[in-house]
């Protein structure tokens, strides 16, 4: 399976875990919610759906009343099909969700993985974030070394483009540092606090914040898009 096919499989299973969808709605969610699929076509999605159905991870259901489906057939139109995650599909998604290999740190896959961090355990989130930071720090070191070697041979515009790329990577590293710090603070707070006998609403709200990592507040700007091509 190609890397992009694996990313698509993960994204489809993750979205369908939230709720069943028909193909058009699923494609729309991939385009709007997951930036890596902005220029994505149904022609690429359909083979993936068929493969997931064949593997037993999805089932196809009619998306309209039987009489409407019959009318669509008689009119030569294709009836809408709704895709629903099976129990085996949920297990497959959980398996993929726990994966923390080097491919989860790459530009395309990291953006998709981050979109599902709300469903990911804290330990897995930490490993993915730290791996991504390490990968970007390596990239930044190479960019700086390359710029130092070629600075004198570059015109002003090419030099500015190189600086822009470095600034994008530096910005994402700072963002990752904030996320990692927040994850660690939430873990320390959870491990160090005594469990109350009867937690009130505020305590329950705090527990939910710890489970989702307690994302840092961003002041004076938005967080970088992990799928931004300028960070490559």
């Amino acid at each position: 399976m190609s890397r992009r096919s694996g990313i698509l499989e993960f994204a489809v299973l993750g979205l369908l875990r939230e709720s069943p969808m028909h193909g058009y709605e699923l494609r729309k969610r991939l385009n709007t919610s997951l930036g890596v699929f902005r220029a994505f076509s149904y022609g690429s999605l359909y083979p993936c759906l068929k493969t997931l159905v064949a593997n037993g991870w999805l089932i196809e259901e009619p998306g309209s009343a039987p009489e409407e489906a019959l009318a669509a057939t008689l009119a030569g139109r294709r009836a809408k099909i709704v895709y629903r995650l099976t129990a085996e599909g949920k297990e497959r998604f959980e398996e993929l969700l726990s994966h923390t290999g080097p491919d989860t740190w790459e530009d395309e896959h990291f953006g998709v993985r981050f979109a599902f961090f709300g469903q990911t355990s804290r330990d897995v989130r930490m490993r993915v974030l730290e791996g991504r930071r390490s990968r970007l720090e390596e990239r930044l070191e190479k960019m700086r070394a390359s710029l130092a070697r070629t600075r004198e041979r570059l015109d002003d515009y090419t030099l500015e483009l190189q600086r822009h790329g470095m600034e994008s990577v530096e910005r994402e590293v700072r963002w990752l540092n904030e996320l990692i710090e927040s994850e660690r603070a939430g873990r320390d707070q959870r491990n160090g606090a005594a469990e109350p006998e009867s937690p009130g609403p505020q305590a329950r709200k705090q527990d939910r914040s710890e489970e989702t990592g307690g994302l840092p507040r961003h002041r004076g700007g938005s967080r970088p898009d992990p799928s931004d091509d300028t960070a490559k």
Side-chain angles (χ1 to χ4, degrees), residues 29-188:
R29 287 289 305 278
L30 288 167
N31 286 338
T32 58
S33 302
L34 306 178
V36 70
F37 299 109
R38 287 190 184 102
F40 200 66
S41 68
Y42 190 72
S44 301
L45 175 60
Y46 186 71
C48 175
L49 291 171
K50 285 299 183 184
T51 298
L52 296 179
V53 170
N55 289 339
W57 298 332
L58 302 181
I59 57 174
E60 297 176 329
E61 299 176 339
S64 56
E67 58 272 15
E68 294 178 1
L70 177 59
T73 302
L74 294 174
R77 302 192 309 269
R78 181 177 178 177
K80 288 184 178 180
I81 296 175
V82 169
Y83 295 91
R84 182 185 299 274
L85 204 63
T86 64
E88 292 79 8
K90 292 178 182 178
E91 291 180 2
R92 173 60 176 170
F93 180 68
E94 293 291 342
E95 176 187 341
L96 295 174
L97 203 61
S98 66
H99 179 57
T100 59
D103 59 314
T104 65
W105 313 335
E106 300 298 339
D107 294 340
E108 282 191 342
H109 208 158
F110 175 74
V112 178
R113 284 300 301 263
F114 190 83
F116 293 99
F117 261 23
Q119 305 177 45
T120 307
S121 69
R122 184 187 302 274
D123 290 342
V124 171
R125 290 198 303 261
M126 282 292 292
R127 288 196 293 271
V128 173
L129 289 172
E130 290 175 342
R132 174 66 175 175
R133 181 177 63 179
S134 176
R135 179 58 49 87
L136 289 183
E137 287 174 341
E138 293 174 2
R139 182 183 302 173
L140 192 57
E141 183 178 351
K142 291 179 181 178
M143 293 173 73
R144 287 170 175 163
S146 175
L147 184 60
R149 291 194 306 269
T150 61
R151 181 187 298 270
E152 300 300 326
R153 301 195 299 271
L154 299 177
D155 60 58
D156 291 343
Y157 294 101
T158 304
L159 183 60
E160 190 62 29
L161 183 62
Q162 293 285 339
R163 287 172 176 167
H164 173 67
M166 287 177 55
E167 289 172 358
S168 297
V169 177
E170 289 169 345
R171 185 169 63 251
E172 185 171 347
V173 169
R174 289 194 298 269
W175 173 64
L176 289 167
N177 285 335
E178 290 182 5
L179 290 172
I180 292 170
E181 182 180 348
S182 295
E183 292 284 351
R184 286 175 176 165
R187 180 175 60 190
D188 293 342

